[in-house]
Amino acid sequence: MKVYTGLNGRKVIFEDKLKYKEEQYVLGAHKPSEKGLLFVENYHKRRINKKIRLKMLFSNNSVEAAEKFNRYKYVQARLLPSKFTSPIAINVYGNKTAILLGSGYIEPVSILIEDGGLADDFKNYFNLLWSLSKPL
């Protein structure tokens, strides 16, 4: 397990995600912060060039962001039920799970766990929530 703080920690996670070609998942996706917006846009350009597929489940209060990301190539975005809100986003890719703690904290904290079993469990959790979510 590795713990990163600040925007640079986020960058480490997103750079790592670009090394994995298989479909990836984001649970609790939300609008990027102003500080991270440029980096996120650049990440998606590079992800699209690598044809990496991404499924994203957004908090219901992030409809605008969900619609924006849903227009990106190789992205499927949906909205979680309205009762779900959280400043935490969980990214699952390859055998890794990244837990990104956002707003509400002094600075962003990113926790990266490399464990195939845990990643599979979070994929199962994601797929269950995907089946309960609503398309845009």
Side-chain angles (χ1 to χ4, degrees), residues 5-134:
T5 57
L7 190 55
N8 286 335
R10 289 286 201 272
K11 290 178 181 179
V12 169
I13 302 291
F14 280 86
E15 290 299 323
D16 192 46
K17 288 177 67 168
L18 289 170
K19 297 175 187 172
Y20 293 82
K21 301 285 187 196
E22 60 272 343
E23 187 169 60
Q24 300 178 12
Y25 310 88
V26 180
L27 171 59
H30 50 272
K31 180 181 176 181
S33 69
E34 290 299 318
K35 288 182 181 177
L37 186 60
L38 190 60
F39 177 79
V40 169
E41 295 289 336
N42 180 270
Y43 158 78
H44 278 285
K45 285 179 189 170
R46 295 165 55 209
R47 180 193 56 76
I48 290 166
N49 285 337
K50 292 177 176 264
K51 299 180 180 174
I52 299 170
R53 298 194 174 281
L54 182 61
K55 283 186 172 179
M56 303 177 81
L57 283 169
F58 281 82
S59 299
N60 207 282
N61 59 357
S62 295
V63 176
E64 218 174 278
E67 289 172 343
K68 175 184 176 177
F69 286 104
N70 198 48
R71 290 190 291 270
Y72 285 4
K73 224 173 179 182
Y74 309 117
V75 169
Q76 288 180 282
R78 288 190 173 188
L79 294 173
L80 288 162
S82 60
K83 292 180 182 176
F84 181 91
T85 58
S86 175
I88 299 171
I90 300 169
N91 289 248
V92 183
Y93 59 100
N95 65 342
K96 297 182 179 182
T97 304
I99 301 168
L100 311 179
L101 309 173
S103 62
Y105 301 94
I106 293 172
E107 66 177 322
V109 175
S110 305
I111 303 165
L112 182 62
I113 304 167
E114 190 169 352
D115 181 304
L118 181 65
D120 287 344
D121 288 345
F122 270 109
K123 286 177 198 170
N124 290 334
Y125 182 46
F126 179 94
N127 287 324
L128 171 65
L129 292 171
W130 184 263
S131 71
L132 300 173
S133 64
K134 55 182 201 185

